[in-house]
Each structure stands twice: as structure tokens, then as C-alpha cells.
Amino acid sequence: MAEDIIKLTPPITDEIVASLKAGDRVSITGVIYSARDAAHKRLVDLIEKGEELPIDIKGQIIYYMGPSPAKPGHAIGSAGPTTSYRMDAYSPTLNEHGLKGAIGKGARGPEVVEAMKKYKGVYFTATGGAAALISQSIKKADIVAYEDLGAEAIRRLEVEDFRCIVAQDCHGGNYYEIGVNEYRRD
Amino acid sequence: MRSIPADKITEAVAKLCMDANYYLGDDVYQALKNYRDKEESPVAIELLDQCIRNADIARSSEVPICQDTGFAVFFVEQGDQVCVDGNLKDAISKGVAKGYTDGYLRKSIVEDPLRRKNTGDNTPPIIWIDPVPGETFRITCAPKGGGSENMSEVKMLKPSDGEDGVKNFVVDRIKRSGANPCPPVIVGVGIGGTYDKCAWLSKKALLRELGSKHPDPYYAEMEEELLNRINNLGIGPQGLGGRTTALAVFIEAHPCHIASLPAAVNVQCHAARHKHVDL
């Protein structure tokens, strides 16, 4: 692959989000947060009640992931992305409150596409099922909220050269459509 | 009559849970390599390489291939000349709790589907017991991830829908799944039986070894045609486009009612895990 890899360190700005296009290769170094189904429900419940969130999501990137337990001496267990459409019901609210990015697998629905356009958000894909490989780019993991949820707790992750691909951008660009159209045979 | 102590089953099950989650089967590993060599999309080649490297890391570090270490599903073949000294269900359940705890596997089961409190030890397992003749006692552990399970479906077709109805349903199910089930997938297809039996057949089909042909030439040909049609969808690894959408299609057929034509698709991600032991 000759393409350039874009380096990102959260928090990211609207300008950075706007510069990212479907198909771009990205390498993230810095802090991201993990959250999946149950944690999303709690975050959005808090927003609806007008209460403060346990983490500041402004400019941040959430990784849809619930790891396996870390073996002794490991920072984290296996840590691949989970399927993103299950978070579609919650994502627009989080984008409205400043979240800039999400990492998962699988395409997002129309309500998320609209929210990403309106609030400047970007959706990345990491390789589903490559969980042992991905965990090598996570250097530190600390639970910062909802410890009772176990694998679904919110974790603060320190990542180094965490690779992903821009799957859907804030301009409506969709790399799933581009890729599939190229290799489909009717 | 041969007797197997329950605690021997518990120990074997604990090891099966760990082994299945750490070591990708040689057949799946080889299939990933073969498809990687035939793949046309540079992105898809890169993603398949990641899957292969991932399997290598999981094996050498003894960590799960995928963080979703699944619902622990068991198929038990119990010979009529074998009895269990103790309760089989409890023995397997204890083995799952031990394997998932000692093996650093994720606990992904909630005790009630609506109230959703995690059981904490990945129990209860799903257990299917098949009585067979003789002295056999084989336990197969097939941890099943949620992402691909969510893309599965049973459809009660009409007999007049026929072969084309079944084939179109299978292809359409995979098309609608897109990137969600972590392609390249393995497609388990159940045809016939009752509503429940058909779903079971589609899961049982996933236990077949990759590269094996259906013993009935009629279904062997259908499997090949379906695999070809599915790979022509262009979905590719992770749904980002490519020629590798499925590694295999496996069909299990069963007698059915004169009024019915049930069809089921059970989708399996590329982290296709199953291990068995004979006790």
C-alpha cells in the first residue's frame, strides 16, 4: 500500500474530521475510550436527564469494544471491534454533545450518517476478529466508569499506532459502497 | 456399559473452551491463506494477512483469537453403551465456568434477555445431546460470537419456492449482513425439518471441516454454486470490498412436512472455532 497514513492524536477538531475521507488510512496514538451497548445506554440516559457524563467526550474517539480479561503481564486481553449498528440509536446524541469519532466494524445507519454530517463526526473501521493483533497497539487500559458492567465498562485506553480505515466520513462518503461496487460481479 | 465420571467431563470441557478460543483450526487457517493468495483487492489482502497474523499471535501467546469468546455451545454424541456418573449438564456447566475463568476468556452471557445482568462466568452453556450407538462419547465445543449470530435467520418457505427459493434466501441473507458478521464468513445452511430443527441443522453444519465435500452430489453442487454466488457479491473481508466474502457454504438437509420448506442460515465469522474430545 503506497497510500499515506494519517496520524491522529485525540482530541480531534472539526477541521481534522472534515479533512478525513472514506478510504483514508489512519494511525491513532494517544487516548481513546472503549464503550459498547450497555455503557452507551447509560451515557445517553445521563444526557437525557441533564446530568454530567463520567468522561469528557468532547473531541474524543470511542472504540466499540469489550475486551477479554488481561492475562498477567498484559495491558489488556484480546480487543477487537464489535458491530457498530447496535450503537446507532445512541451515536447521534453523543455526536451532538461533542464526540468526534467512533471505531467499530460494519456500516452505520442513515441517522448516524446525518448526525456525522451535522455535528462533524467520523467513523473508522478496525479489523473485526483480529483481536489479539489489535491488542498489541493498546499499551494501557484503565476502567474509568461502570466497573459493574465487566467487559462493557468504559475504559481509558492508551494506544500507539492504532490502525484503522475511515469507513464513513462527514461528507457522506462510504468506503463500504466504494469497495463492494468495485469487486461485485453480477 | 462404560461409565464416565462427571469431573472428568468438567476438566475436559474447561480445556476445550480454552483450546477452541486460542487455536484456530488448521482448516480455517489454511482456507484464509488460500483465499488470500487468490484475492484481487489490495485492501482485502491486507485484511486477510491481519487475520492470519492474528491467529499466529493467539496461538503462540495463548490468548483468544477474538475478544468475543462466545456463547459456549456443545454437541455431545453419547453412545448407548456409555453412561455418565453424575449430571452431564452440571458437569459441562462447571467446565465452562472453569475454562472461561482460568483461561481469561470473556464472560458474555446475561442471565435474562431483557433485564441483562451478566452471569459472571459465561454459563449457562447451550447443550445438544445426540444419542448414538456404541461406546462413543464425543464432546464438541463451538464457542459462538454474537456479531455473526445476529446475522442469522430462519425462514419458513413454501414447497413451491423450491431450490431457487432456498438459494436466493441464503444469498440475500449474506448480502444484507454486509460487513456486520466479520467476513470472510462460513455459511451454515439448514434445509427441512421443523422450524427449530432447521435452525439446529444450520448450526450443526458449521462443524464441518473446511475443504470437505457434501456426501450427496446434489448438495455438494449446491454448496459450490452458493459459495460462488456469495463471493460474487463483492462484500469482501470486513465488508470493504473483495473476492473473499465466504470461505465455505455447508448444507445440512433433513426430512420435512408435506406443507413445509424450512430454511435457515447460521452465519459464522472467520474466527470459526470448534474443538472436540473423545472420552
Side-chain angles (χ1 to χ4, degrees), chain B residues 23-156:
Chain B
Y23 312 126
L24 188 67
D26 292 339
D27 57 336
V28 183
Y29 188 78
Q30 197 52 51
L32 287 169
K33 285 193 156 177
N34 294 345
Y35 272 94
R36 183 237 176 262
D37 292 342
K38 288 192 291 186
E39 181 54 70
E40 296 164 21
S41 154
V43 175
I45 289 171
E46 197 181 319
L47 296 173
L48 290 170
D49 277 337
Q50 287 180 17
C51 296
I52 293 162
R53 266 171 61 209
N54 183 69
D56 293 336
I57 294 167
R59 178 175 289 276
S60 63
S61 311
E62 296 191 315
V63 295
I65 299 159
C66 179
Q67 78 289 339
D68 184 354
T69 51
F71 214 132
V73 179
F74 292 87
F75 291 85
V76 180
E77 286 174 46
Q78 183 170 5
D80 51 16
Q81 299 302 308
V82 185
C83 67
V84 174
D85 183 8
N87 185 287
L88 177 60
K89 194 171 151 187
D90 288 348
I92 294 177
S93 198
K94 277 185 199 157
V96 169
K98 184 174 165 46
Y100 274 73
T101 305
D102 296 354
Y104 298 92
L105 306 179
R106 198 179 78 182
K107 289 76 180 171
S108 310
I109 307 304
V110 291
E111 63 186 24
D112 180 89
L114 294 175
R115 288 167 288 185
R116 305 195 76 80
K117 186 177 173 292
N118 199 299
T119 63
D121 60 8
N122 218 55
T123 63
I126 303 280
I127 304 169
W128 301 104
I129 299 172
D130 192 7
V132 296
E135 290 228 323
T136 304
F137 191 84
R138 172 171 288 197
I139 305 180
T140 303
C141 173
K144 188 62 172 69
S148 58
E149 194 73 356
N150 284 345
M151 294 298 116
S152 304
E153 191 175 342
V154 180
K155 195 164 183 184
M156 301 305 283

